[in-house]
Structure formats: structure tokens, C-alpha cells
Amino acid sequence: MTRHVTLMTIDDAEHYTPQQRAAIISAYPAHEREARAKGIPVLGSGRIFPVAEELIACEPFRLPRYWPRLGALDFGWDHPSAAVELAWDTETDVVYVAKACRASQQTPAMQALTLKPWGEWLPWAWPRDGRRETLEGAGVALARQYAAHGLNMLAGHAQFADGSVSVEAGLMEMLDRMQSGRFKVFSTLLPWFEEFRLYHRRDGQVVKLRDDLMAATRYGVMMLREAVVDPAEFKAVRPKAGQSDPLRAFR
């Protein structure tokens, strides 16, 4: 016996005119529109990010090299390890999630092969469990294993500037950016949006299930102050003879 699920949206209700469909959708609260109009489920006691995807999705574009960037990792084995790259437009204070990947049962060596092409200079934020030693690593902390395979791991685990590591504070920072238009995600990152849709609470608590890219993004937002500019941008700027070099301190 086979099962088949057909997903229908309000756009399939052709007995409504486009104007009528738009009016129906606009009558719903913004955070309910995707569930009511598109059938995207709301689980548990509600989505963690009650924000319409249209508010954060953007078409991919070539990142300016002078924007600071940061990688962020969430470690896993049976549940996937995840990685994202954030780019920060400091003039408008908008953060862009430009890359994302997720994979199960991959060693640090295998993940490093995937992530190093993003830029060997790229600094990487990582969670507290990166200090944990593993049998596979013969007692070497996870963060050190990744560093040994060529990733530019930050010296300390992800935390706010005051040293705190509150999950709720990190989620609220992300939500505030989303609601204020200061957080965007390349629309082609389908696994990221998959997790975004299903990320929810049950009895007020965050459900730790298929949240790997969400966690990696949260670590990156917490450590955004560590984002750096691609060194190739500095090399492209050369002062004329007799001029001082404003980038000297960064070399």
C-alpha cells in the first residue's frame, strides 16, 4: 500500500480571483499566512520565528569582498553537522546567510574538505560542545580536530560579548533582525528554509529536532563581532607612492 500526500495552497483555489486571494491572505496575521495559505505546518506551541519567508528570503548575489564574513558550525554525528556562512553589510547592519550545508556521520576531516573551499581565511564560530573529546578523535577536542584539518577556528566557543551563552537571547537576536529587515537568507538555501519552517516549541521549550542549521546560524549571529574581511580585498588596495597605507594595521 502506498501513500501520497498532495499539498494544495490558496493559489490552487481558482474559484477566487487573484485579488480575492490576496485579500484573504492579507487578513491573516503575518506569522500565520504561510500555514493558512500554503499549508506550511505550525507545530507544538508555535514557531520560534513567526516571520513570513518573504520577509527574509532574497535572490543570491555576488557578495562584496569588503563585507566582513564568518562561518559557523554545529557539531553532530547521527544528527547532522551543519555549517553556514554569514556576510555582514555593516553600513546597513544587515546579515546575509549566503551558504549552508548539512550532513550526517561525517568526520571533521570530511567536513573540512567541504568547507575549506569557502575560504581558508574564513573564521569559524563553534558551540561549547566543541571542547568535548571524542573516541573518534582519540581524546582530542572537536574544535581542535577541525583546526587540525585546516579550518580557521575561533579561539573560544560561541558566546555574547559579556560571556553569556543564552539560547533564548540568541534566538531573540535573530528574531529581532528578521522582524526589522536586518536578516536575509539566499532563497536557494532550501535545507535552511526547511528547518526554519519546522523550528518550534513544545510546552514553551525549543524542540531540539532538525535544528542543526538554525543552531549554526545562531552561533554565527552571537559571534558576528568576529567576522572579518577577505584578505584578498586588502591586497587589492595599494597606496600610491608617498601615501600612507590605511590598511597597514590589518596586514
Side-chain angles (χ1 to χ4, degrees):
M1 179 178 177
T2 60
R3 294 183 179 182
H4 174 74
V5 176
T6 299
L7 180 65
M8 296 185 66
T9 74
I10 196 171
D11 293 322
D12 297 306
E14 296 182 351
H15 57 287
Y16 291 124
T17 67
Q19 293 76 19
Q20 288 173 322
R21 290 196 291 267
I24 292 171
I25 294 172
S26 65
Y28 298 134
H31 65 280
E32 295 181 4
R33 290 173 187 168
E34 289 172 336
R36 292 182 177 271
K38 299 181 181 179
I40 295 174
V42 175
L43 306 175
S45 55
R47 291 174 61 181
I48 290 176
F49 300 126
V51 176
E53 287 183 29
E54 290 81 0
L55 294 180
I56 63 172
C58 70
E59 289 300 311
F61 60 91
R62 187 181 185 89
L63 296 173
R65 289 196 309 184
Y66 57 85
W67 283 6
R69 287 153 61 185
L70 175 73
L73 288 164
D74 182 48
F75 301 124
W77 182 251
D78 290 325
H79 79 84
S81 296
V84 296
E85 181 186 308
L86 305 183
W88 186 15
D89 180 355
T90 54
E91 294 182 357
T92 60
D93 191 26
V94 177
V95 174
Y96 292 84
V97 182
K99 294 188 183 75
C101 70
R102 186 180 62 192
S104 299
Q105 298 184 351
Q106 283 202 340
T107 64
M110 291 301 298
Q111 282 193 290
L113 287 176
T114 300
L115 300 176
K116 284 169 65 175
W118 294 11
E120 294 192 22
W121 58 272
L122 188 69
W124 287 92
W126 48 276
R128 280 189 295 181
D129 63 1
R131 298 178 301 186
R132 178 170 53 84
E133 298 175 354
T134 66
L135 179 62
E136 295 86 350
V140 179
L142 272 171
R144 290 189 178 182
Q145 292 180 47
Y146 280 82
H149 291 291
L151 291 192
N152 182 20
M153 307 294 279
L154 292 174
H157 64 76
Q159 57 189 294
F160 288 105
D162 63 1
S164 63
V165 294
S166 168
V167 172
E168 290 296 336
L171 295 176
M172 289 306 101
E173 172 68 16
M174 290 176 64
L175 179 58
D176 179 64
R177 283 186 168 276
M178 291 177 186
Q179 292 180 333
S180 61
R182 296 179 296 123
F183 185 92
K184 301 293 181 181
V185 185
F186 282 9
S187 58
T188 51
L189 302 181
L190 301 184
W192 195 98
F193 281 104
E194 173 190 295
E195 290 192 11
F196 171 78
R197 295 179 192 122
L198 299 177
Y199 199 29
H200 69 286
R201 298 180 188 273
R202 181 173 291 119
D203 300 325
Q205 300 299 312
V206 176
V207 175
K208 299 290 291 179
L209 182 66
R210 295 192 67 81
D211 65 337
D212 312 286
L213 290 168
M214 296 298 99
T217 305
R218 175 167 53 84
Y219 300 138
V221 169
M222 290 171 66
M223 295 297 285
L224 197 59
R225 63 189 180 277
E226 297 290 346
V228 301
V229 175
D230 182 348
E233 175 67 10
F234 295 158
K235 295 177 182 178
V237 179
R238 294 296 182 187
K240 295 180 180 179
Q243 290 183 334
S244 61
D245 183 353
L247 300 178
R248 184 186 303 278
F250 295 95
R251 295 202 175 109

